[in-house]
Amino acid sequence: MKRLILLRHAKSDWDDPVARDFDRPLNRRGEKAAVLMGQFARSKGMRFDFVVASPAVRVVETLDSFFTGYGETIDPHWDRRIYLASTATLFDVIRDLPDSAGSVLMSGHNPGLEELILELVPEDGGGPLREDVEVKFPTASIAVLDLPVDHWSEVRSGSAQLASFTRPRDLDPALGPGSR
């Protein structure tokens, strides 16, 4: 059994005049949400054998804040393929993960992460959590997927169970839509 924990980057700062989307930083709300989600992950006993992430600035800053809240830092493996990746590309990243890692944290972007969840979790077996993801996989949200495989290369569409899905607003309503 393998466990894949997906963390979407936190809220970025659209007011920051960066030349490239890749360089967009987090805003204050995003930093707060990422710290909170790190605290939540620690409180739930989430463990990570390996971290793979997009090297975009907003993901780097999300992980910095997340690990501040988590209370422990795990050095990520930066994989440029995750930046604005399609589901097919994310499957390639997953299939390339080291088999020594039983639990992997992947941090990246939408729509790729949301589409990946919907591709991995079967419609008829996802229940209300999958339905929530179908509505939206908001910034700084965490989805935990269990995969009944021994090797990451065996991951296929419709093979995962969505064990949990948590949004920052589930923990602090002030981090919900419309707040700053």
Side-chain angles (χ1 to χ4, degrees), residues 56-72:
V57 169
R58 60 190 176 273
V59 176
V60 172
E61 290 181 357
T62 294
L63 286 174
D64 286 346
S65 295
F66 177 85
F67 286 129
T68 295
Y70 188 71
E72 178 183 343

Side-chain angles (χ1 to χ4, degrees), residues 1-5 102-103 120-122 143-149 152 155-156 158-164:
M1 180 72 79
K2 300 286 188 189
R3 175 163 271 192
L4 180 64
I5 297 127
S103 181
L120 282 170
V121 179
V144 178
L145 295 95
D146 289 327
L147 298 149
V149 297
W152 290 104
V155 172
R156 301 285 178 261
S159 64
Q161 177 183 354
L162 185 55
S164 69

Side-chain angles (χ1 to χ4, degrees), residues 2 94-102 150-154:
K2 300 286 188 189
I94 291 167
R95 290 180 182 134
D96 289 343
L97 292 170
D99 283 330
S100 59
D150 293 322
H151 307 281
W152 290 104
S153 61
E154 300 168 346

Side-chain angles (χ1 to χ4, degrees), residues 36-54:
L36 180 66
M37 296 309 282
Q39 292 167 343
F40 168 77
R42 171 61 90 186
S43 75
K44 293 297 180 186
M46 289 184 197
R47 303 298 302 158
F48 318 110
D49 302 320
F50 191 80
V51 177
V52 62
S54 163

Side-chain angles (χ1 to χ4, degrees), residues 49-137:
D49 302 320
F50 191 80
V51 177
V52 62
S54 163
V57 169
R58 60 190 176 273
V59 176
V60 172
E61 290 181 357
T62 294
L63 286 174
D64 286 346
S65 295
F66 177 85
F67 286 129
T68 295
Y70 188 71
E72 178 183 343
T73 299
I74 299 160
D75 290 329
H77 171 78
W78 304 110
D79 192 327
R80 181 106 185 177
R81 294 179 295 173
I82 298 172
Y83 177 67
L84 305 180
S86 67
T87 302
T89 300
L90 292 173
F91 266 98
D92 289 342
V93 172
I94 291 167
R95 290 180 182 134
D96 289 343
L97 292 170
D99 283 330
S100 59
S103 181
V104 171
L105 174 66
M106 178 189 283
S107 187
H109 312 265
N110 258 5
L113 291 182
E114 180 176 312
E115 291 170 356
L116 178 66
I117 296 165
L118 299 177
E119 183 71 24
L120 282 170
V121 179
E123 271 188 62
D124 58 354
L129 291 179
R130 188 183 190 283
E131 292 170 12
D132 286 346
V133 171
E134 279 185 53
V135 171
K136 188 172 186 183
F137 188 57

